[in-house]
């Protein structure tokens, strides 16, 4: 019995003095498969959320292929979409109406001092606060991203801002500063908006409204414009007064001519009457008129002579 125990111990030691337990081959395979399953489950749990993409309302999703760097021409609409997170990426772009505000004062919506500086036709500097409302054409968003490779906010403050400055320079640079500040401000705004629509529409940026909120010129220029306006107003007042006096003088002349004509007509009539009267007076008519007026009394005169009325002979 002693030898059998010794033999068993020797067999367990492998005959070399070390102890090596015997493990069946199927147990090791099961352990390896279990480990691989756990790793796969963890990976699936980690990657599962990234395989589903949600695009928010008012946005589109741009599908970017990471392997080749290309972009799908057709964007993803709002909602849930499946994708391979290892080979594709999704970039969201807003398509709702947005407003870019470029002002000197950051409290009015601008990120900082974003005023636009241009020069008038006289070379005078003009600073403008502007705003532009726009939308993105969903079908052209992939091409927009492929061109600029950045988000819409960066595009607004780079290419769009530069386009606004260029349009305003083309418009303001061909006008006098007094006209831009005064009567041609609305016209300049419409012309600048037309230029922006032409430049931005190829990229799918649709301009809905462009506004010049404020214009600033050097104080010396403002004073000169005000002085010019005062002088023009004074000249206009003097011109109106001169015109008034001219009209009054013309009226007086017409009245005088009328009075002179009336006097002349009256004189001619009187002269004609006198002529007719002179032609009608004869000595017989005079004696007749005198006799009609005599009352039969002799005139009281001194002396012995009797006055006599000489009647004409028949």
């Amino acid at each position: 019995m002693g030898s059998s125990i010794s033999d068993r111990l020797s067999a367990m030691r492998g005959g070399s003095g070390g102890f090596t337990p015997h493990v069946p081959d199927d147990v090791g395979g099961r352990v390896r498969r279990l480990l691989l399953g756990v790793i796969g489950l963890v990976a699936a749990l980690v990657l599962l959320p990234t395989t589903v993409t949600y695009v928010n309302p008012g946005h589109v999703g741009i599908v970017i292929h990471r392997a080749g760097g290309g972009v799908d021409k057709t964007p993803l609409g709002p909602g849930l979409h499946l994708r391979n997170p290892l080979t594709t990426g999704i970039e969201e772009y807003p398509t709702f109406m947005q407003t870019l505000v470029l002002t000197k004062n950051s409290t009015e919506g601008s990120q900082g001092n974003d005023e636009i500086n241009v020069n008038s036709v006289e070379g005078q500097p003009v600073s403008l606060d502007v705003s532009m409302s726009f939308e993105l054409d969903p079908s052209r968003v992939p091409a927009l991203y492929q061109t600029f490779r950045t988000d819409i906010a960066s595009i607004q403050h780079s290419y769009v801002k530069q386009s606004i400055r260029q349009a305003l320079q083309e418009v303001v640079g061909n006008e006098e500063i007094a006209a831009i500040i005064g009567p041609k401000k609305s016209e300049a705004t419409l012309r600048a908006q037309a230029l922006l629509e032409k430049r931005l529409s190829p990229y799918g940026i649709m301009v809905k409204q462009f506004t010049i909120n404020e214009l600033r010129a050097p104080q010396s220029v403002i004073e000169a414009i005000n002085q010019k306006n005062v002088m023009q107003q004074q000249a206009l007042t003097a011109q109106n007064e001169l015109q008034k006096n001219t009209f009054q003088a013309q009226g007086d002349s017409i009245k005088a001519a009328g009075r002179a004509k009336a006097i002349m007509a009256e004189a001619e009539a009187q002269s004609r009457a006198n002529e007719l009267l002179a032609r009608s007076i004869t000595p017989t008519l005079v004696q007749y008129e005198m006799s009609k007026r005599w009352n039969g009394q002799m005139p009281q005169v001194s002396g012995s002579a009797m006055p006599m009325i000489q009647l004409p002979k028949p």
Side-chain angles (χ1 to χ4, degrees), residues 217-251:
Q219 186 61 32
S220 58
V221 175
I222 298 297
E223 293 175 357
I225 293 174
N226 292 335
Q227 185 176 2
K228 180 181 178 181
N229 292 336
V230 171
M231 294 177 64
Q232 288 178 344
Q233 186 63 37
Q234 292 175 348
L236 182 61
T237 302
Q239 183 179 0
N240 292 337
E241 188 67 24
L242 177 61
Q243 190 174 12
K244 177 182 177 182
N245 294 336
T246 301
F247 289 156
Q248 185 174 357
Q250 291 177 351

Side-chain angles (χ1 to χ4, degrees), residues 23 39 57 66 127 136 156 159 186 195 220 237 240 280 297 303:
V23 180
I39 294 173
R66 292 172 177 170
S127 300
L136 297 181
Q156 289 182 41
Y159 181 77
S186 298
L195 289 173
S220 58
T237 302
N240 292 337
S280 64
Q297 296 180 357

Side-chain angles (χ1 to χ4, degrees), residues 51-63:
T51 60
V52 179
T53 297
Y54 177 73
V55 178
N56 292 287
H59 295 71
V60 293
I62 306 170
V63 181

Side-chain angles (χ1 to χ4, degrees), residues 122-134:
E122 307 97 332
Q124 294 291 343
V126 182
S127 300
L128 303 98
D129 292 346
V130 302
S131 59
M132 188 188 80
S133 298
F134 66 96

Side-chain angles (χ1 to χ4, degrees), residues 37-222:
V38 171
I39 294 173
L41 179 60
V42 172
L45 293 175
V46 172
L47 296 176
L48 182 61
T50 62
T51 60
V52 179
T53 297
Y54 177 73
V55 178
N56 292 287
H59 295 71
V60 293
I62 306 170
V63 181
I64 305 169
H65 299 284
R66 292 172 177 170
V71 175
D72 278 358
K73 294 182 179 181
T74 303
L76 302 177
L80 294 172
H81 301 275
L82 294 175
R83 70 182 181 97
N84 187 344
L86 299 178
T87 59
T88 60
I90 304 295
E91 184 75 22
E92 271 196 27
Y93 257 54
T95 56
F96 55 84
M97 183 177 292
Q98 305 171 69
T99 300
L100 173 62
V101 180
L102 301 174
T103 64
K104 181 178 181 180
N105 192 347
S106 59
T107 60
E108 296 182 3
S110 181
Q111 293 183 353
N113 185 359
D114 286 328
E115 63 181 347
I116 303 296
N117 298 304
V118 295
N119 295 318
S120 66
V121 69
E122 307 97 332
Q124 294 291 343
V126 182
S127 300
L128 303 98
D129 292 346
V130 302
S131 59
M132 188 188 80
S133 298
F134 66 96
E135 293 179 357
L136 297 181
D137 183 354
S139 64
R140 297 186 181 182
V141 167
L144 176 67
Y145 177 81
Q146 195 164 12
T147 300
F148 295 98
R149 290 287 177 172
T150 185
D151 58 90
I152 188 61
S154 299
I155 297 174
Q156 289 182 41
H157 288 85
S158 56
Y159 181 77
V160 175
K161 180 180 178 180
Q162 181 59 27
S163 297
I164 293 174
R165 183 187 181 282
Q166 185 177 356
L168 288 172
Q169 182 59 66
E170 292 182 15
V171 174
V172 177
N174 291 320
E175 298 289 347
E176 295 181 354
I177 188 170
I180 292 296
I181 295 177
K184 287 193 174 182
K185 179 181 177 181
S186 298
E187 179 184 346
T189 302
L190 294 176
R191 288 167 57 192
Q193 179 172 339
L195 289 173
L196 287 171
E197 291 174 353
K198 182 178 179 181
R199 289 201 177 107
L200 298 179
S201 59
Y203 299 99
I205 302 175
M206 300 177 292
V207 179
K208 297 299 182 180
Q209 183 178 4
F210 179 76
T211 307
I212 298 178
N213 301 315
E214 185 178 352
L215 295 96
R216 291 178 293 274
Q219 186 61 32
S220 58
V221 175
I222 298 297

